[in-house]
Amino acid sequence: MRRLSGLFIKALLFATVFSATAQEGGGAPAHGGAAAQANNPLANMTAFNIQDYYIGELTDIDKEANQFWLRYAKPFSVEDANWLMRASLPVNSFPTGRRLKRHNGIGDLNVFAAYLIDTGNPAVSFGIGPQVTAPTAAQNGLGSEKWSAGFANVLFNASSPKFQYGYLLTWQHSFAGADSAPDVNAGAFQPFTFYQLGKGWYLRSAPIWVYNFENDDYSMPLGIGAGKVIKTEKTVYNVFVEPQWSVADEGPGQPEWQVFMGFNMQFPQ
């Protein structure tokens, strides 16, 4: 718990110092529009995110782990249709094998393309489309060893400058890969809420609830955190930290508690 508190305080201090540096350099402080859209996964702009899950304890295993994510998003058009592509690559550090020795390396690459549907309200974004996961893991135990495909569905409602909410729903099933590896049939639901405090500061909650349809294992964490949005001339920065605790889980290797941290960048056109 002390380590969790220390991470929380350090991340918020970093956001404060970074905000002061950006504004001294001529960048304008984040306004309501930028702050509201900074957490929109379907925002019409190129984005690059650096995110990390420090997992303090895994169920049954009683060991720690870490998952570091690199994410890139890019809007594109096909004739009159607007899409958003997002690619995610994890760098995993997990205890694996019978001896639960910790291994580090790249995990499986995931890519989805969401077709952006016109909702009639510019503040409400809705997208749905295919996703695919490739078995790019550096070694066994850091990935599924399977090719999987499915869909991704995203909603983000920024009608209120004070309170934004939405979700990311995904499902995928394996269709090729190593015969010795277990089949993949998994769904994930990420509800997210953001409450703007002003001057770029906000409160947040964005846990990911995962269900494995192959063996009925699941994980349901809840979290509460804080972040800071800093708008400069060419980039919108978003720094946050969110401690999360499990309220329900089943099966080994689920996070008992974890800290979700991120440094996101959006590049308005």
Side-chain angles (χ1 to χ4, degrees):
M1 186 62 68
R2 289 182 180 178
R3 185 169 184 177
L4 185 153
S5 301
L7 288 169
F8 186 84
I9 294 171
K10 287 177 182 178
L12 289 184
L13 287 174
F14 172 76
T16 304
V17 173
F18 182 81
S19 174
T21 302
Q23 292 178 26
E24 287 171 2
H31 54 76
Q37 290 297 320
N39 291 297
N40 183 357
L42 295 177
N44 186 28
M45 62 187 79
T46 302
F48 180 68
N49 302 339
I50 301 171
Q51 300 175 350
D52 187 79
Y53 285 90
Y54 169 72
I55 305 169
E57 184 179 356
L58 295 166
T59 55
D60 296 352
I61 300 174
D62 295 329
K63 290 182 178 291
E64 64 180 14
N66 198 84
Q67 191 167 55
F68 178 81
W69 286 92
L70 298 173
R71 286 196 166 104
Y72 175 76
K74 179 74 175 179
F76 66 97
S77 298
V78 178
E79 295 184 349
D80 294 332
N82 295 320
W83 293 75
L84 182 98
M85 180 277 297
R86 191 184 82 169
S88 303
L89 181 68
V91 180
N92 295 327
S93 180
F94 292 152
T96 63
R98 294 182 179 179
R99 298 183 179 180
L100 297 178
K101 182 179 179 181
R102 191 174 178 123
H103 289 90
N104 307 304
I106 293 173
D108 291 345
L109 173 67
N110 173 266
V111 180
F112 74 73
Y115 168 59
L116 305 181
I117 298 173
D118 186 0
T119 63
N121 182 350
V124 178
S125 304
F126 184 87
I128 187 168
Q131 75 160 333
V132 63
T133 297
T136 57
Q139 54 184 297
N140 297 346
L142 297 180
S144 65
E145 302 179 61
K146 293 281 192 177
W147 284 89
S148 300
F151 72 88
N153 171 219
V154 188
L155 169 73
F156 187 81
N157 191 320
S159 299
S160 168
K162 202 76 174 176
F163 178 71
Q164 298 84 47
Y165 63 91
Y167 67 81
L168 169 61
L169 173 66
T170 64
W171 171 83
Q172 57 185 336
H173 196 293
S174 57
F175 62 89
D179 292 336
S180 58
D183 289 337
V184 174
N185 184 5
F189 180 69
Q190 182 181 27
F192 39 76
T193 56
F194 308 98
Y195 184 79
Q196 304 299 327
L197 300 174
K199 297 184 179 180
W201 289 97
Y202 67 94
L203 299 177
R204 60 173 289 128
S205 180
I208 300 178
W209 302 340
V210 180
Y211 191 88
N212 187 331
F213 292 97
E214 286 292 317
N215 56 19
D216 293 326
D217 285 357
Y218 60 86
S219 172
M220 181 179 284
L222 288 178
I224 180 68
K228 172 72 172 178
V229 176
I230 307 105
K231 184 178 182 296
T232 65
E233 184 178 350
K234 296 182 179 181
T235 308
V236 176
Y237 298 96
N238 183 6
V239 186
F240 64 86
V241 60
E242 181 184 329
Q244 300 177 347
W245 292 266
S246 175
V247 295
D249 54 66
E250 179 67 34
Q254 311 295 343
E256 290 279 11
W257 64 267
Q258 59 190 0
V259 182
F260 179 32
M261 297 173 283
F263 179 71
N264 300 346
M265 292 166 282
Q266 292 175 328
F267 309 100
Q269 299 177 351

